[in-house]
Amino acid sequence: MADVLTIRDLKVYLKVDAGTVKAVDGVSFRVPEGRTVALVGESGSGKSVISQTIMGILPKIARIESGEILFADPRTPGTDVDITRLDPDSAQMRDIRGARISVIFQEPMIALSPVHTIGNQIEEALVLHRNLGAAERREATVDMLRLVGFNNPARAVHAYPFELSGGLRQRALVAMALSCHPALLIADEPTTALDVTIQAQILQLIQRLQAQLNMAVLIITHDLGIVANLADEVVVLYRGRVMESGTVEDVFTNPGHAYLKALLRAVPRFDMAPGERLTPIREIKVDGGHLMAAREAIPEAVPGGPPLLAVRHLTKGFGSRIAGVFGDKLGHGPRAVDDVSFEIGIGECLGLVGESGCGKTTTAKMILRSLTPDSGEIVFDDRGTPRDVLALRGADLFAYRRQVQFVFQDPFGSLNPRMSVFDIISEPLIIHGIGDEEERFARARELMTRVGLDVRYLRRYPHSFSGGERQRIGIARALALSPRLLICDEPVSALDVSVQAQVLNLLRDLKSTFGLTYLFISHNLAVVHYIANRIAVMCAGRLVEVADRDALFENPRHPYTKALLAAVPHPDLARKLDFAALMEGKASDPDAWPAAFKRGPDGPGLIDVGSGHLVRARATADAAELRA
């Protein structure tokens, strides 16, 4: 089998203010025709720099120090080209880039132009690389959109990126990359920002198109589950160097390098023993303190006692703008949250899982009173006194928000870049009038040690920190007011697996240390399995299943829950993705569910199938239908 790409002793250095960074330091590997090679490693290991070097799109601060990248185009055998010797702006490099080597970028919203239609952006590649007329280009574009799974490709060519979901935007990027039938496809973290079911669909799509086009694929990822399901060969990078390489079977069944073994131990698994902890590559040292330990005592959970938070029949709809002759008017849109009810006990962690757009974050915002629900009730147990959260006003609402804090999804966008770490952590204390300047500084120092950060970093600004460190700063800010309930909205979705392990362990430790209660929102079921006591599954604005963690994973009843579990890529060669269980991408469509779970005159409502395991199904459904 011929090699489409051969990289030998590649060295790429970056010139920065602090000196020279060896981003790629003597890397060698190959990508055979029709095969998939995975580049694996943490952020900063050099993966994306290698892809940029192959495409000839390195930033100005980068230079190729030495080495070669040989591209052997299967269409023209015997004419190998060393890409490192080509001028990135030359006609020969432009012919290779896009036509023979294409790339799928990580973030589809940034990679697509917001002011051009999807059709225009795909046709641009055809204009540059294929001699086709206007009608032929439009036909080829529609065919490519159909190939990547658009239900109505003739309509999709006129759509703008903001009109499409994340999964469809990523499919549009795949269509753009494959429009010229390249010999090599580089997929740079193509599913990092996607829900688990959409991720599985994109992986299935890449796999299917690779077989049809006999295309070589270089996939860049830090997700070992994706590697186990997609790759034929694996190259493990660390700080610009290859730590280990080989077939996927060799790498997973007999990992040799300590770094790869550490990566495998940092990934949450469904078969973890009770009390087992993730093992981060770099442990963070967490120190205790006396200020937070001396806070007001919180009553412990009493069996049969009231929950800390009770959400009952919560409903929220958003209007849609309808264009009219006399201007736009507000119409009735679908309900983002539709009759949602759940409880969170004192000291419990409830995992709320579901796809983007299912209503998870809207529910959290209503609990915080950032949004006002259309109907429903939220009751908070204020040290034995039930509070109607929706009726709180003024000082009472201010006091409630001190007890309920939020950890945001994006560690980059949630911190003010103009504020130092001390200002960020002490801001909640200032707003709530807690302590003088000396006490606030002491609290900030203690919070830094609690989340495993050096107190000397208090005067630094967010840009000086990595993603994992920024997320720990966000957690420290949320803990500043000694809250009772912490709402964590996808707190680790943007992090590498090793950093993810650090943050998850930190959240578990803080929960036990301070008796915190969590509402943990995520679409990653393996993460939720690691940290949650109970799990609520949400789809299309409704809860479809609620159960204890083990009961849900061992015996899921709802078809949507089963599809979510089937879509999780395991870092285990014996547990490959079951694409047939994904219901052909219709898992989140209630009309595609079996009759027992469809809406009708007799429901569906939440039915208890035993031991508090709730499933949304028709009241007339029998046991056999619920087990199917």
Side-chain angles (χ1 to χ4, degrees):
M1 186 178 297
D3 295 332
V4 174
L5 192 78
T6 304
I7 296 180
R8 294 175 182 156
D9 196 30
L10 181 65
K11 296 182 180 180
V12 181
Y13 295 171
L14 306 180
K15 184 73 173 179
V16 296
D17 292 340
T20 300
V21 175
K22 296 181 179 181
V24 181
D25 191 13
V27 167
S28 301
F29 65 89
R30 68 193 183 99
V31 184
E33 183 180 0
R35 307 282 280 178
T36 299
V37 175
L39 271 183
V40 182
E42 302 171 87
S43 294
S45 62
K47 307 185 304 294
S48 293
V49 174
I50 291 173
S51 71
Q52 291 171 346
T53 308
I54 296 170
M55 294 295 294
I57 53 173
L58 281 172
K60 292 182 179 179
I61 61 171
R63 73 175 188 272
I64 301 173
E65 189 72 14
S66 64
E68 57 184 11
I69 302 175
L70 299 178
F71 173 61
D73 194 336
R75 290 184 182 177
T76 55
T79 57
D80 295 4
V81 177
D82 186 354
I83 291 175
T84 64
R85 302 291 184 263
L86 297 180
D87 182 349
D89 297 323
S90 66
Q92 187 177 7
M93 189 64 217
R94 288 199 301 268
D95 287 340
I96 294 173
R97 184 194 303 127
R100 306 307 299 140
I101 304 178
S102 290
V103 63
I104 304 172
F105 294 101
Q106 177 174 353
E107 179 47 67
M109 204 58 193
I110 296 174
L112 293 170
S113 168
V115 296
H116 294 89
T117 65
I118 296 299
N120 286 341
Q121 295 184 64
I122 295 175
E123 286 186 32
E124 182 181 18
L126 299 176
V127 169
L128 293 172
H129 301 293
R130 293 177 65 182
N131 187 21
L132 299 176
E136 293 175 304
R137 288 198 302 270
R138 180 51 55 99
E139 183 180 356
T141 299
V142 171
D143 288 343
M144 185 55 65
L145 289 172
R146 183 181 294 109
L147 186 66
V148 299
F150 276 81
N151 292 328
N152 191 341
R155 181 179 178 182
V157 295
H158 302 290
Y160 288 88
F162 70 87
E163 298 178 287
L164 304 178
S165 66
L168 288 178
R169 286 197 292 265
Q170 197 65 288
R171 287 174 184 267
L173 278 182
V174 174
M176 191 184 309
L178 300 183
S179 59
C180 296
H181 299 171
L184 172 65
L185 175 67
I186 301 173
D188 190 356
E189 301 276 11
T191 61
T192 297
L194 302 180
D195 296 321
V196 64
T197 50
I198 305 300
Q199 170 181 272
Q201 293 171 30
I202 296 297
L203 295 179
Q204 183 184 26
L205 173 66
I206 292 175
Q207 209 171 51
R208 176 169 55 83
L209 294 177
Q210 179 184 22
Q212 290 182 14
L213 304 174
N214 193 33
M215 177 177 59
V217 175
L218 177 63
I219 186 165
I220 297 171
T221 184
H222 62 257
D223 190 331
L224 293 172
I226 292 176
V227 175
N229 281 274
L230 207 64
D232 299 302
E233 299 180 17
V234 183
V235 179
V236 182
L237 293 180
Y238 178 66
R239 294 189 175 179
R241 293 188 175 186
V242 176
M243 297 292 105
E244 189 164 351
S245 63
T247 66
V248 68
E249 291 81 9
D250 290 340
V251 167
F252 275 87
T253 58
N254 187 29
H257 198 277
Y259 176 69
L260 178 57
K261 294 178 182 178
L263 272 181
L264 290 168
R265 290 194 300 269
V267 179
R269 307 181 312 277
F270 291 126
D271 59 353
M272 296 182 72
E276 182 182 354
R277 289 171 64 88
L278 296 174
T279 307
I281 293 174
R282 290 166 292 278
E283 286 282 1
I284 56 174
K285 184 181 178 182
V286 178
D287 295 326
H290 65 284
L291 291 174
M292 293 189 67
R295 67 180 187 165
E296 185 178 352
I298 294 176
E300 295 183 358
V302 178
L308 179 64
L309 185 77
V311 174
R312 301 180 182 128
H313 308 295
L314 207 61
T315 299
K316 178 67 177 178
F318 293 99
S320 58
R321 291 207 171 272
I322 303 173
V325 177
F326 300 103
D328 294 350
K329 63 180 180 179
L330 197 63
H332 294 288
R335 287 180 174 179
V337 177
D338 188 2
D339 193 26
V340 166
S341 300
F342 60 83
E343 295 180 347
I344 310 177
I346 296 174
E348 182 185 31
C349 176
L350 176 69
L352 185 59
V353 301
E355 296 177 340
S356 296
C358 72
K360 305 187 302 295
T361 299
T362 301
T363 300
K365 288 180 178 179
M366 287 189 286
I367 294 172
L368 277 175
R369 283 287 306 274
S370 298
L371 287 175
T372 302
D374 298 334
S375 62
E377 185 181 21
I378 303 173
V379 178
F380 183 78
D381 181 55
D382 187 2
R383 294 173 176 81
T385 302
R387 303 284 188 189
D388 182 354
V389 174
L390 301 181
L392 297 178
R393 298 289 185 274
D396 291 334
L397 179 59
F398 192 67
Y400 165 74
R401 284 178 169 156
R402 177 174 173 176
Q403 300 187 67
V404 181
Q405 290 291 296
F406 206 92
V407 178
F408 294 93
Q409 175 177 0
D410 182 6
F412 297 90
S414 60
L415 302 179
N416 189 331
R418 298 189 178 189
M419 295 175 69
S420 68
V421 174
F422 171 71
D423 293 333
I424 289 170
I425 295 176
S426 62
E427 184 180 29
L429 301 173
I430 295 172
I431 291 172
H432 287 266
I434 297 174
D436 53 19
E437 186 173 352
E438 183 178 350
E439 182 180 345
R440 289 195 290 269
F441 185 72
R443 281 178 175 263
R445 286 173 57 91
E446 181 174 318
L447 285 164
M448 288 287 280
T449 60
R450 283 287 187 183
V451 298
L453 292 174
D454 195 317
V455 295
R456 293 174 296 179
Y457 296 166
L458 273 172
R459 297 301 180 187
R460 291 188 180 182
Y461 288 82
H463 71 268
S464 304
F465 298 91
S466 67
E469 289 171 332
R470 293 187 201 197
Q471 196 61 289
R472 281 185 262 156
I473 293 169
I475 293 171
R477 175 178 60 186
L479 292 174
L481 297 175
S482 301
R484 298 180 64 195
L485 174 64
L486 209 60
I487 300 176
C488 304
D489 189 1
E490 302 272 14
V492 296
S493 64
L495 306 178
D496 292 331
V497 288
S498 55
V499 180
Q500 172 183 279
Q502 292 177 350
V503 175
L504 289 175
N505 284 346
L506 173 64
L507 289 171
R508 282 182 59 166
D509 293 340
L510 292 172
K511 179 175 177 292
S512 61
T513 302
F514 299 121
L516 292 170
T517 302
Y518 289 159
L519 175 61
F520 193 94
I521 298 171
S522 180
H523 64 257
N524 189 324
L525 285 166
V527 167
V528 173
H529 179 270
Y530 179 69
I531 198 166
N533 306 110
R534 283 190 308 128
I535 298 173
V537 181
M538 197 168 188
C539 179
R542 288 186 162 192
L543 295 184
V544 297
E545 192 160 0
V546 183
D548 288 339
R549 177 191 62 196
D550 294 334
L552 186 88
F553 283 92
E554 292 170 5
N555 189 22
R557 300 297 185 91
H558 198 279
Y560 178 68
T561 307
K562 293 177 181 178
L564 278 183
L565 289 170
V568 176
H570 297 272
D572 184 352
L573 297 179
R575 301 180 64 183
K576 292 290 187 78
L577 280 172
D578 181 6
F579 292 117
L582 299 178
M583 300 174 61
E584 297 181 347
K586 297 181 180 179
S588 58
D589 180 7
D591 293 332
W593 296 339
F597 305 96
K598 287 184 178 180
R599 296 186 182 185
D602 57 347
L606 287 173
I607 298 173
D608 193 336
V609 296
S611 303
H613 189 155
L614 306 178
V615 182
R616 187 171 292 278
R618 287 187 294 104
T620 56
D622 57 32
E625 288 179 295
L626 294 178
R627 284 196 301 267

